[in-house]
Amino acid sequence: MTRLCILLFVFACVTIRSGVEGIGVNYGLLGNNLPPPAQVINLLKSRYIQKIRIFDPNQDVLTALQGSDISVILGTRNEDLQSLASDPTFATNWVQNNVIPHASTVKFTYISAGNEVIPGPLANFVLEALQNLESALKANNLNIPVSTTVSLKVLGTSFPPSNGAFSDSAVQFLQPIAQFLATKQYPLLANVYPYFAYSGNPAQVQLDYALLKGTGPIVSDGQFQYNNLFDAMVDSLYVALEKVGQPAAEVVVTETGWPSAGDVFATIDNAQTYANNLIAHVSSGQGTPRRPGKIVETYIFALFNENQKPAGVEENFGLFYPDMTEVYHVNLTP
């Protein structure tokens, strides 16, 4: 009996340390009043957050992550994309400087070559940057998936989800990128914001639908029924990937969230409702109507309110204030 109790205790500890399945948080640094990275990592541990995303290889953050057992999506700076694409030596040095020193003590989940650059003047560099980073990682015996992060502005049509399709300005870049990712079995990374879809068209989008409060079907799309906008947006991206010949492609949601201030729809109550409903939905393993029974790995934006972002809602996506007190409570306990 004593041995059984010990085993149950150990199992409980392992379960608690694992965090909420499928959920991570974005750790941005656009604030002049944020706590030092070592304190932030302790905060993450105390709140059972085991997955984060950082937007560039900040060495202080990477050092603080060492031995933490927290996995990280590591981004490249957008301004490095052209060099990563055109110069394999630059990509090799980037890996040597930013990945290898930490690879034995930090769990790198993915490396994202660029953030929301498709479509745009940097889009043409993404594929070659992915290829060069992949080669540099493999040359150092590192099996870290590479990808790029897109916003849903890459979609020309998204409603209903079965009409999802990349825009003419995005498809020329995303078709070969999707093929590369599918060949390697790497996911496409995507930023998905029901808040912006709702705030841009509140007359046509139900608030409960955007906040994942729907208890029954709100939108019908052939055989598929949607009770929340998050699923509909993710599925529209899956359909767009199918239309460029990649029906098996996976999606990881690298950003989603709801601001707590900055406009009439950005309230603490709405932000708390969205975050907690999202966490419950993702961790349930329900998946989306087009990908049922499969957890969509999802990262909440963001860890802190960041005062160097544009004034208004952009400053107010944080789960925490810079003094590490909660903006609102989210249930991140397994």
Side-chain angles (χ1 to χ4, degrees), residues 34-65:
L34 299 177
Q39 289 184 23
V40 174
I41 300 310
N42 287 332
L43 172 66
L44 296 172
K45 291 178 180 178
S46 72
R47 299 305 176 105
Y48 311 106
I49 297 169
Q50 290 293 303
K51 297 175 182 288
I52 65 167
R53 175 188 178 218
I54 59 176
F55 294 86
D56 60 65
N58 181 288
Q59 295 302 314
D60 291 335
V61 173
L62 290 170
T63 298
L65 281 166

Side-chain angles (χ1 to χ4, degrees), residues 10-306:
V10 170
F11 176 74
C13 290
V14 171
T15 302
I16 288 172
R17 287 192 63 194
S18 68
V20 176
E21 190 170 6
I23 291 290
V25 178
N26 285 261
Y27 175 13
L29 293 166
L30 293 179
N32 59 15
N33 55 356
L34 299 177
Q39 289 184 23
V40 174
I41 300 310
N42 287 332
L43 172 66
L44 296 172
K45 291 178 180 178
S46 72
R47 299 305 176 105
Y48 311 106
I49 297 169
Q50 290 293 303
K51 297 175 182 288
I52 65 167
R53 175 188 178 218
I54 59 176
F55 294 86
D56 60 65
N58 181 288
Q59 295 302 314
D60 291 335
V61 173
L62 290 170
T63 298
L65 281 166
Q66 290 180 351
S68 67
D69 205 36
I70 295 171
S71 62
V72 58
I73 298 176
L74 174 62
T76 72
R77 298 179 183 92
N78 287 349
E79 53 264 37
D80 287 339
L81 276 174
Q82 184 170 359
S83 295
L84 286 166
S86 60
D87 185 358
T89 301
F90 186 93
T92 296
N93 290 338
W94 192 95
V95 169
Q96 291 280 354
N97 294 332
N98 301 310
V99 181
I100 289 175
H102 309 286
S104 63
T105 54
V106 175
K107 297 165 63 176
F108 291 105
T109 314
Y110 313 107
I111 292 174
S112 174
N115 181 48
E116 297 190 345
V117 299
I118 303 171
L122 297 176
N124 195 47
F125 303 118
V126 173
L127 180 59
E128 288 184 327
L130 292 174
Q131 293 167 335
N132 287 340
L133 284 168
E134 162 90 348
S135 296
L137 291 164
K138 295 296 186 188
N140 287 281
N141 297 313
L142 294 173
N143 294 311
I144 303 170
V146 296
S147 188
T148 191
T149 303
V150 299
S151 77
L152 290 203
K153 291 180 180 177
V154 298
L155 297 178
T157 56
S158 60
F159 182 84
S162 59
N163 283 346
F166 294 125
S167 67
D168 291 342
S169 57
V171 71
Q172 60 184 307
F173 305 109
L174 281 170
Q175 187 159 10
I177 288 170
Q179 183 177 8
F180 168 84
L181 296 175
T183 300
K184 304 289 184 178
Q185 296 185 307
Y186 298 162
L188 178 66
L189 311 179
N191 299 337
V192 178
Y193 282 98
Y195 162 76
F196 288 116
Y198 170 73
S199 63
N201 194 9
Q204 298 295 321
V205 180
Q206 295 183 34
L207 182 59
D208 283 359
Y209 185 58
L211 291 174
L212 290 90
K213 289 175 67 175
T215 56
I218 295 175
V219 170
S220 295
D221 183 18
Q223 64 178 307
F224 301 107
Q225 307 292 319
Y226 292 88
N227 62 14
N228 71 79
L229 182 53
F230 177 82
D231 282 354
M233 294 174 81
V234 172
D235 272 0
S236 67
L237 187 56
Y238 276 126
V239 172
L241 287 165
E242 291 171 6
K243 289 178 180 176
V244 294
Q246 305 305 332
E250 296 294 336
V251 170
V252 168
V253 176
T254 33
E255 290 180 28
T256 189
W258 198 286
S260 59
D263 74 18
V264 65
F265 309 116
T267 66
I268 286 179
D269 183 60
N270 282 348
Q272 182 175 34
T273 298
Y274 181 79
N276 282 303
N277 286 347
L278 174 82
I279 291 165
H281 178 60
V282 169
S283 63
S284 73
Q286 177 181 333
T288 71
R290 285 181 176 270
R291 296 292 190 277
K294 189 174 183 64
I295 287 178
V296 179
E297 185 178 344
T298 299
Y299 292 74
I300 296 172
F301 189 88
L303 189 58
F304 295 111
N305 284 347
E306 299 171 61

